[in-house]
Amino acid sequence: MNSIVPAAMGQMAQAETTSTAIPRLKAIPWYCYIVALAATSILTGIIWDISWHSTIGRDTFWTPAHMAIYLGGTLGGFCGGWLVLKATFWPRPEERASSVRFWGFHGPLGAWVTIWGALAMLTSAPFDNWWHDAYGLDVEILSPPHSVLAAGMYTLVAGALLLLLSLQNRSGPAQGTVPGSGLFVYVGAIMLAMCSIMVTEKSLPNQQHAALFYKIACWQYPLLLVALARASRLRWPATTVALIYSALTCAAVWILPLFAATPKLAPIYNPVTHMVPPQFPHLFIVPALAMDLCFRWIGRGRGGWRDWLLVLVIAISFTGLFFAVQWHFSKFLVSPAAENWFFNGKGFFTFADQRGDHWGRFWRLQEDAVTLKAIGICLVLALFSTRLGLWWGNWMAKVRR
Amino acid sequence: MRRTFAGILFLCLLPLAGFAHVGSPNVVFEGQAGPYPIRVIIRPPPVVPGLAEISVRALTNGAQRVSVLPIHWRAGFKGAPPPDVAKPIPGETNLYHAELWLMTGGAYSVHVSVEGAAGLGTVIVPVNSMATRRLQMTGFLGALLAGLGLLLFAMLVTIVGAAVRESVLTPGLQPARRAIWRARGAVTLAALILATALFGGKRWWDNVDRHYRNNRLFKPVEVMASVQSDGIQHTLRLEIDDKNTGSLSWAPLVPDHGKLMHTFLVREPGLDVFAHLHPTRRSEKRFEALLPPLPAGEYRIYSDVTHENGLSKTLVATVAIPDGPAGSLTPNETDPDDSWHVGKALEVARPASNGEANAANAQVVRLSDDIVMLWERPPELIANRDVSLRFHVLDGDRQRVRLEPYLGMLSHAVIRRDDGTVFTHLHPAGNLSIASQQVFELRTQQGQVRKRITPEMMEKMCRLPSPEESRRAFSFPYEFPQPGVYRIWVQVKVDGRVRTGVFDAEVSVGTSQIGS
């Protein structure tokens, strides 16, 4: 089936070594910047699009926000496609050696993943267009065609992570900064921001005294932060990811309101005059710092009892610290004291949100109270999430192609 | 056989029935926007939220800028965005086009403003916003998406296999047999997980579709029609069951030209009997009307109502009317504004010659011994093109007869396609609900979303035609929605009696001016 493998296929359970030597990288290859740019473009487009819908309301296929998303998809897809074509038809020895086989073609795993992401994004376009004709223009954010688009975007960013990882894991010693490791945590922070955006509708400051917010957080974030921290070679990876996430989100919070805009869809219950920014970022920085400390104290060795101890300690620390920090911080965010350009207290409400006292208080306190049982569920979710994150991170730390 | 076919066709058309008019969703208005005479056509979207198209034709020169603003009945002006400027259509004179975003179901008022040398003029045109279509995916798109989906599926499981087989290998190493088998297992597992995810996605899609059908798609209002007889007279009873919810639900009614309900009966299949009745409300959803002496037969019933939120609906039913009792009603016993017509009006062989009428295309029918109605038939009627249906009522000396107001209007027209797929009730102002227009004018005058609209308030909004208008020719603006053969009943009141002229029209295939 393939010209490279017959020898290996013929021998039992032994890897055969070829003579390809991988030169040590001194600079980051161009494609790493391209996929990082693609991920940045997608995140920018998502934040911009949400702001567009929150401020102006009406949109078309050709809004700049949509163009940013599709630019990201195009960049990632073409970049992955080029890497595959190069490794298949005009390969240097090290390129072919660091590829995986795919239907007779060769290319880095990350390239295939970005191609898949771009193709999924492309597929979502005619599907979404038909969906609008059948059920109306974006009745709900979470719809099957939007899920295909979201899957494409997430996968493309995951492909960027894999491309950077393979570069990092092939370069230099097992510890310390190597080419691509900085870009890896940057793209990881983009992934974290995308994950938080995905659950925005359940994560407003007014919802941060209800149990659902903490259940979502304990399920979603440890998995990603632990996986990134495990795979990264930086000294403080989770903290760095949380810091970059906070910086990216704060940039959106502070920059978007600088642009004047008014709603163009009725009914307008909140006559905004500037682009609506997202809410202030979650304070992941505290549990992320604790996570890094856990890794440093318990050790980064993989497998065995250390991993299970890490799961236990990280899950407990994440649940406890995130709960303690965000619970009190949200009190500040819903108060009048946060109504300024820096914290954007109530500035994230859209033109279609009816103003009222409910903006200044917590919601669903009775129906979804934070009880001991709810905290217990959060802890269990965090345990599962951390365990999965460690497995995922252990695998990512070994990806070399 | 023909009746069976008609019955099947009627069932097929039920989804179209219930919203204002049948098979003719476009709103046509002709009137004054301040000093500017204009004709407005609004083509509402088949799903909500969706984009409606609006075209505004200035009927005289002088308009320099046209803007449009849709306002939902519940939000009012306070929640309205800035109006959109309509753009002139290249190649057309005085024709402007814009798109309207209708975001929620229910009634909207579209404020059309014209600016020019004579100043600013504004008029309100009501439009229903409701999902009326359940779209099926075309074969091509289905095949394209299925192909892409299959490709994505195959690629993803292959990626999983490649990731397990060789992604963690040191470059240059070949995968061991064990890794190959692990990869095969991973591919199988990934395929199972992905198939489960796809199955879940399909169920999600089904749930969305079910929710759309149950809660957002407009449900035809069910009407149970029956004829009650006490041996002396027949009574038509209409019992309404409206299953719509939210902004589309059954709300209190407001009178249109002084009547809560305007009911039209057309005998099937020959369309040779026509009646225009005004049932009386017996309870919230039960209406009754004494039947005039109509010949027995199967009748299609169309009832126009307008709710106080501005939503207008046409209720559709069928009923079998038996032979009349010995003491059938005389005209004096029915509602004084009820009228009926049996048989096609007698066509006059010699076209009338009137100074203004285009005799070459004229069609003339006799209304009485000494009164005729003349239709200036356009050379060609084309579907999806706006047209003015212009009529004259002339006496024996070919002079115009003075028309008396009938239900507040100089004339009424009803248009029905021969197969029943299209029905609409027209006035010289168009096919919009005048009551709905008045409701929105009232709300605009109040500057707020008024909760209740009383009959007295509606009465004050009625404007009778001027004496000068009563001796002019009259016209109905309309846009035939599809080609075919149509019957047109035109009603006027002369010498205290309602007269009905009956015409037939053949409409040829055409496309929208905006789209063409």
Side-chain angles (χ1 to χ4, degrees):
Chain A
M1 183 172 102
N2 191 291
S3 60
I4 289 182
V5 292
M9 295 287 282
Q11 297 171 18
M12 289 295 289
Q14 289 295 323
E16 183 189 343
T17 308
T18 64
S19 58
T20 310
I22 304 299
R24 186 169 177 174
L25 284 171
K26 293 181 180 174
I28 300 174
W30 62 270
Y31 64 81
C32 294
Y33 292 110
I34 295 291
V35 291
L37 182 64
T40 309
S41 186
I42 286 174
L43 177 67
T44 307
I46 293 171
I47 293 174
W48 198 349
D49 194 39
I50 291 171
S51 177
W52 191 285
H53 280 278
S54 305
T55 313
I56 298 168
R58 64 172 73 166
D59 71 347
T60 68
F61 179 81
W62 299 105
T63 62
H66 291 170
M67 289 303 101
I69 292 172
Y70 285 111
L71 173 67
T74 308
L75 277 177
F78 276 112
C79 184
W82 170 251
L83 291 174
V84 165
L85 290 175
K86 181 78 170 49
T88 304
F89 298 111
W90 315 284
R92 290 199 299 265
E94 67 272 18
E95 286 171 341
R96 175 61 66 86
S98 54
S99 295
V100 297
R101 290 174 296 115
F102 193 110
W103 297 350
F105 291 85
H106 299 265
L109 181 69
W112 291 111
V113 176
T114 55
I115 291 170
W116 192 93
L119 190 61
M121 290 173 72
L122 187 71
T123 303
S124 75
F127 189 16
D128 198 35
N129 191 47
W130 179 85
W131 195 268
H132 289 170
D133 288 345
Y135 302 114
L137 290 163
D138 288 346
V139 177
E140 288 165 334
I141 294 172
L142 209 56
S143 65
H146 285 187
S147 298
V148 175
L149 177 65
M153 291 190 292
Y154 277 95
T155 308
L156 195 144
V157 176
L161 283 173
L162 288 170
L163 278 171
L164 293 161
L165 267 176
S166 63
L167 182 74
Q168 170 196 271
N169 295 344
R170 291 199 305 268
S171 307
Q175 296 291 327
T177 306
V178 292
S181 56
L183 273 182
F184 171 71
V185 291
Y186 170 73
V187 177
I190 286 177
M191 182 70 101
L192 179 63
M194 286 171 62
C195 287
S196 74
I197 288 169
M198 183 94 169
V199 292
T200 297
E201 289 175 324
K202 305 292 180 192
S203 308
L204 300 178
N206 311 71
Q207 295 166 308
Q208 292 178 9
H209 277 203
L212 181 62
F213 169 69
Y214 293 98
K215 289 175 187 169
I216 291 171
C218 288
W219 168 247
Q220 182 167 268
Y221 301 119
L223 191 153
L224 185 59
L225 282 170
V226 166
L228 292 170
R230 168 66 97 186
S232 171
R233 294 191 182 179
L234 295 187
R235 294 172 68 83
W236 300 91
T239 311
T240 312
V241 166
L243 272 174
I244 297 172
Y245 150 81
S246 302
L248 290 171
T249 312
C250 281
V253 170
W254 297 332
I255 291 172
L256 279 168
L258 299 177
F259 297 93
T262 51
K264 290 188 175 177
L265 271 188
I268 302 164
Y269 295 116
N270 177 27
V272 297
T273 55
H274 297 82
M275 292 297 282
V276 172
Q279 57 172 305
F280 198 78
H282 301 325
L283 297 184
F284 291 132
I285 191 78
V286 178
L289 184 62
M291 198 176 286
D292 282 337
L293 287 171
C294 291
F295 274 115
R296 292 173 76 88
W297 289 336
I298 298 172
R300 295 174 74 96
R302 296 175 194 116
W305 63 271
R306 275 202 181 90
D307 272 8
W308 288 106
L309 186 59
L310 275 170
V311 167
L312 192 64
V313 176
I314 290 176
I316 291 171
S317 68
F318 184 91
T319 307
L321 287 172
F322 186 68
F323 182 85
V325 171
Q326 201 63 37
W327 179 276
H328 292 289
F329 186 55
S330 60
K331 283 184 191 172
F332 167 73
L333 286 177
V334 299
S335 73
E339 291 179 34
N340 51 54
W341 68 271
F342 191 91
F343 290 106
N344 187 34
K346 297 177 181 66
F348 56 83
F349 284 110
T350 74
F351 74 89
D353 288 321
Q354 299 213 27
R355 287 169 178 266
D357 294 342
H358 63 288
W359 282 17
R361 60 170 185 260
F362 291 104
W363 304 340
R364 296 180 60 80
L365 292 178
Q366 301 301 320
E367 305 93 316
D368 190 24
V370 178
T371 58
L372 274 178
K373 181 184 171 188
I375 294 172
I377 293 171
C378 289
L379 185 59
V380 171
L381 289 170
L383 284 165
F384 274 108
S385 179
T386 309
R387 181 62 262 188
L388 288 173
L390 266 181
W391 276 328
W392 183 23
N394 286 339
W395 173 75
M396 287 205 300
K398 294 186 287 188
V399 169
R400 294 182 180 187
R401 299 188 178 202
Chain B
M1 180 66 190
R2 191 172 175 182
R3 183 171 294 184
T4 307
F5 173 74
I8 294 169
L9 190 63
F10 176 66
L11 288 174
C12 295
L13 293 175
L14 268 178
L16 297 173
F19 56 98
H21 313 298
V22 176
S24 185
N26 296 350
V27 177
V28 184
F29 166 79
E30 189 170 304
Q32 294 290 130
Y36 308 100
I38 59 171
R39 182 182 299 156
V40 179
I41 298 178
I42 303 174
R43 299 175 179 85
V47 290
V48 178
L51 276 175
E53 285 188 342
I54 179 169
S55 63
V56 180
R57 186 185 291 280
L59 300 175
T60 57
N61 291 326
Q64 293 165 353
R65 184 175 183 271
V66 176
S67 62
V68 293
L69 175 64
I71 295 177
H72 190 257
W73 73 273
R74 200 148 48 186
F77 258 115
K78 199 177 171 185
D84 278 292
V85 176
K87 294 177 181 166
I89 294 181
E92 291 280 347
T93 305
N94 292 333
L95 184 59
Y96 299 81
H97 173 250
E99 289 181 331
L100 303 170
W101 292 69
L102 305 184
M103 297 306 293
T104 53
Y108 273 80
S109 59
V110 178
H111 293 240
V112 181
S113 298
V114 182
E115 291 174 63
L120 173 69
T122 300
V123 68
I124 292 174
V125 182
V127 60
N128 286 348
S129 170
M130 52 179 65
T132 56
R133 180 184 72 183
R134 185 155 177 261
L135 185 67
Q136 299 296 320
M137 194 176 280
T138 63
F140 172 75
L141 182 63
L144 176 71
L145 291 178
L148 286 167
L150 205 60
L151 178 63
L152 287 170
F153 185 98
M155 281 184 73
L156 196 56
V157 296
T158 309
I159 286 171
V160 170
V164 172
R165 187 178 62 238
E166 49 190 327
S167 69
V168 297
L169 279 183
T170 302
L173 290 183
Q174 295 300 319
R177 180 173 289 267
R178 189 178 167 198
I180 291 169
W181 279 105
R182 278 179 58 198
R184 287 173 183 164
V187 165
T188 308
L189 187 63
L192 283 173
I193 292 171
L194 203 53
T196 308
L198 284 174
F199 179 71
K202 175 67 172 62
R203 289 198 63 178
W204 182 14
W205 187 343
D206 290 343
N207 285 339
V208 171
D209 190 67
R210 194 176 305 114
H211 176 76
Y212 173 78
R213 279 185 280 119
N214 293 340
N215 302 315
R216 290 174 44 218
L217 186 66
F218 181 78
K219 289 181 260 311
V221 180
E222 293 174 18
V223 181
M224 179 68 75
S226 59
V227 174
Q228 315 290 320
S229 183
D230 59 2
I232 300 173
Q233 60 193 29
H234 287 331
T235 301
L236 174 67
R237 177 178 293 172
L238 302 174
E239 290 175 282
I240 298 161
D241 183 12
D242 191 346
K243 292 190 168 60
N244 290 287
T245 55
S247 287
L248 304 179
S249 60
W250 190 263
L253 300 178
V254 290
D256 191 354
H257 326 327
K259 311 289 182 185
L260 283 180
M261 179 180 277
H262 294 254
T263 294
F264 303 91
L265 288 88
V266 178
R267 188 163 76 163
E268 300 281 6
L271 313 185
D272 56 341
V273 182
F274 170 84
H276 180 176
L277 311 179
H278 304 95
T280 306
R281 183 164 59 185
R282 297 300 181 199
S283 67
E284 188 195 2
K285 294 183 181 175
R286 187 157 65 88
F287 288 77
E288 288 182 354
L290 295 177
L291 278 176
L294 301 177
E298 293 285 335
Y299 283 78
R300 185 77 52 85
I301 300 172
Y302 304 93
S303 295
D304 285 344
V305 293
T306 301
H307 297 284
E308 69 170 13
N309 56 21
L311 197 69
S312 52
K313 293 174 182 169
T314 297
L315 320 178
V316 183
T318 54
V319 70
I321 296 180
D323 284 325
S328 290
L329 287 174
T330 63
N332 293 334
E333 293 172 292
T334 61
D335 184 305
D337 290 318
D338 285 0
S339 58
W340 57 94
H341 177 85
V342 178
K344 191 174 184 302
L346 186 63
E347 188 165 343
V348 178
R350 184 173 58 82
S353 176
N354 178 278
E356 291 178 36
N358 182 350
N361 294 310
Q363 184 180 353
V364 182
V365 297
R366 191 175 297 286
L367 300 182
S368 67
D369 289 342
D370 55 352
I371 300 175
V372 296
M373 183 179 283
L374 181 151
W375 177 23
E376 277 187 60
R377 180 194 288 271
E380 189 179 19
L381 292 169
I382 302 173
N384 298 308
R385 295 284 175 92
D386 62 314
V387 65
S388 189
L389 307 173
R390 186 174 162 89
F391 296 86
H392 307 253
V393 177
L394 306 171
D395 61 16
D397 300 324
R398 300 296 184 238
Q399 296 300 308
R400 285 211 187 85
V401 173
R402 191 182 74 81
L403 303 179
E404 298 158 22
Y406 173 42
L407 295 164
M409 300 273 173
L410 281 182
S411 53
H412 296 253
V414 167
I415 295 179
R416 210 196 92 143
R417 198 166 184 262
D418 60 352
D419 61 358
T421 52
V422 176
F423 169 88
T424 195
H425 175 194
L426 282 169
H427 305 121
N431 67 346
L432 73 171
S433 162
I434 300 297
S436 177
Q437 189 181 40
Q438 291 167 347
V439 163
F440 281 117
E441 282 176 6
L442 273 169
R443 294 187 192 284
T444 305
Q445 285 172 10
Q446 297 295 329
Q448 60 182 355
V449 182
R450 179 177 280 278
K451 293 292 180 192
R452 300 311 306 259
I453 301 284
T454 63
E456 293 73 30
M457 294 160 70
M458 294 295 288
E459 190 69 31
K460 288 179 186 168
M461 298 299 293
C462 289
R463 289 180 292 268
L464 290 176
S466 66
E468 296 77 35
E469 288 176 292
S470 66
R471 282 194 182 274
R472 289 185 196 152
F474 55 90
S475 60
F476 304 97
Y478 189 53
E479 187 182 80
F480 288 93
Q482 52 179 291
V485 176
Y486 289 79
R487 178 150 294 181
I488 305 171
W489 293 270
V490 181
Q491 293 195 296
V492 292
K493 195 171 188 180
V494 179
D495 297 333
R497 278 191 59 196
V498 177
R499 326 269 176 157
T500 304
V502 186
F503 302 87
D504 287 331
E506 192 158 346
V507 178
S508 54
V509 181
T511 55
S512 168
Q513 281 163 295
I514 293 170
S516 60

